[in-house]
Amino acid sequence: MRLEKKATVASSSVAAVLVLIKLAVGIMSGSIAILASAIDSLLDLIISMFNYFALHNAEKDPDEKFHFGRSKLEPLAAVIEGTIISLSALFILYEAISKLIHPKEMQYMTEGVYVMIASVLITGGLVMFLNYVADKTQNMVIKADALHYKTDLYSNGAVLIALVVINYTGEQLIDAILGMAIAVYMIYSAVPIIKEGMLMLLDVALEPEEVKKIEEIIMSEPEITNFHYLRTRVSGSHIFISFHAVFNPEISLYDAHTVADRVEAKIKKLFPEDKKVHILVHMDPYDDAEINAEEDEW
């Protein structure tokens, strides 16, 4: 099993455990903050299961129906995850405002504190593991999952502090105010996830620094006199690069192909090994950029 899949299995297991204990204590105590955290953990479970499905299918080889594979399932999963986080945040915000209008005293405070302590410890361990996997694989889905659980860790810590403060001060409005703060923070954290996923779905190009390195590699070959139509796009763990390389007309097809292979090998070394880099080199015997540009205008 790939490391990314192991990460989604671990996050699903943790989310399932947290859902059970938070829901039980949240319902008994009447704490909006704990219930908000329980709902968030339930969504975590659903998202982590979907992420496993997305990663499993994204790595499938191209077939007759999907000639370029299913790599866009990864950014799609990130967009869905960010959207679900935002919707759950809006629900939490609604519940928090309702409690401000209709205050309700919390019960089972001690149990709530114990639950949140356990939640902070478990979530903290999961975040460390997800960050390790995200750094090693640079997988977008795992990065989104790591960021998601990191927000959970912060919100769980805030809920724990609030429960302790409420226990000593008796001020019930702290619970509702904290719920609102958690909701705002969740939306703030979801926006970058949605943005990055949408950019990939729209075939965002590589960063300018990476494109510059590719250009330098192309022009480092003496046999290549020029190049044009350099295009790049990122789709999940796949990177697509294409360009026209201009050769001297006297060069043999074999030699030109050898040079193109050498350029492809150098470009692939720019990216992590777990990235699938697809390079298409069109070999021109002369610079036809202007001719093709005129044809494109028509």
Side-chain angles (χ1 to χ4, degrees):
M1 182 183 292
R2 283 175 58 194
L3 186 58
E4 294 95 321
K5 285 186 179 181
K6 291 180 180 179
T8 59
V9 171
S11 57
S12 298
S13 303
V14 168
V17 172
L18 294 178
V19 166
L20 292 176
I21 59 177
K22 287 180 183 179
L23 274 180
V25 176
I27 292 173
M28 289 189 299
S29 66
S31 168
I32 294 297
I34 295 180
L35 283 174
S37 188
I39 293 171
D40 190 37
S41 293
L42 178 60
L43 292 171
D44 291 344
L45 175 60
I46 296 172
I47 290 170
S48 294
M49 292 175 66
F50 177 76
N51 286 345
Y52 179 87
F53 165 80
L55 288 173
H56 176 73
N57 285 276
E59 66 182 12
K60 287 184 176 179
D61 294 329
D63 52 31
E64 292 183 359
K65 189 172 184 180
F66 298 96
H67 292 181
F68 292 93
R70 301 169 175 81
S71 58
K72 285 196 176 182
L73 276 173
E74 292 183 19
L76 178 61
V79 172
I80 292 175
E81 181 168 359
T83 303
I84 291 176
I85 293 172
S86 300
L87 293 175
S88 64
L90 292 176
F91 176 75
I92 292 169
L93 187 61
Y94 168 78
E95 289 294 324
I97 294 174
S98 297
K99 188 165 185 177
L100 280 176
I101 300 173
H102 306 288
K104 182 180 178 182
E105 187 173 351
M106 294 171 57
Q107 306 292 329
Y108 301 97
M109 293 292 295
T110 302
E111 289 82 354
V113 170
Y114 288 150
V115 166
M116 296 316 298
I117 290 175
S119 180
V120 167
L121 293 175
I122 295 173
T123 306
L126 178 61
V127 167
M128 292 177 63
F129 176 63
L130 290 177
N131 279 333
Y132 164 75
V133 177
D135 290 339
K136 186 171 183 178
T137 65
Q138 293 298 309
N139 184 278
M140 183 182 176
V141 175
I142 303 302
K143 284 183 178 180
D145 225 19
L147 178 60
H148 187 186
Y149 281 99
K150 190 180 294 184
T151 63
D152 288 351
L153 179 61
Y154 294 152
S155 63
N156 290 337
V159 171
L160 175 59
I161 294 172
L163 289 176
V164 173
V165 173
I166 293 171
N167 193 36
Y168 280 99
T169 65
E171 182 54 67
Q172 301 293 321
L173 291 180
I174 293 176
D175 180 53
I177 294 173
L178 179 62
M180 295 173 65
I182 292 173
V184 172
Y185 182 72
M186 288 171 64
I187 294 175
Y188 173 78
S189 301
V191 170
I193 299 175
I194 297 174
K195 181 181 178 181
E196 187 176 357
M198 287 299 297
L199 286 174
M200 280 200 180
L201 289 175
L202 294 173
D203 291 333
V204 65
L206 290 170
E207 294 295 326
E209 297 80 11
E210 294 173 313
V211 174
K212 182 66 176 177
K213 291 179 181 178
I214 293 173
E215 292 175 345
E216 291 174 353
I217 288 175
I218 296 173
M219 293 309 299
S220 68
E221 295 293 332
E223 294 86 353
I224 297 179
T225 60
N226 204 352
F227 72 93
H228 50 269
Y229 289 168
L230 174 59
R231 300 288 186 268
T232 67
R233 67 184 179 93
V234 181
S235 180
S237 58
H238 293 253
I239 297 172
F240 296 88
I241 302 168
S242 64
F243 62 92
H244 287 207
V246 182
F247 292 86
N248 188 297
E250 281 73 33
I251 192 172
S252 69
L253 178 59
Y254 176 84
D255 290 338
H257 194 276
T258 300
V259 173
D261 285 345
R262 190 161 60 238
V263 170
E264 289 183 28
K266 290 180 180 179
I267 292 176
K268 288 181 178 180
K269 289 181 180 179
L270 293 175
F271 305 97
E273 292 183 0
D274 61 312
K275 292 291 184 181
K276 300 177 180 66
V277 184
H278 310 271
I279 304 173
L280 176 62
V281 182
H282 181 87
M283 294 172 282
D284 287 341
Y286 57 89
D287 195 334
D288 60 353
E290 293 184 2
I291 298 175
N292 288 333
E294 291 175 359
E295 292 177 351
D296 289 341
E297 290 179 1
W298 290 96

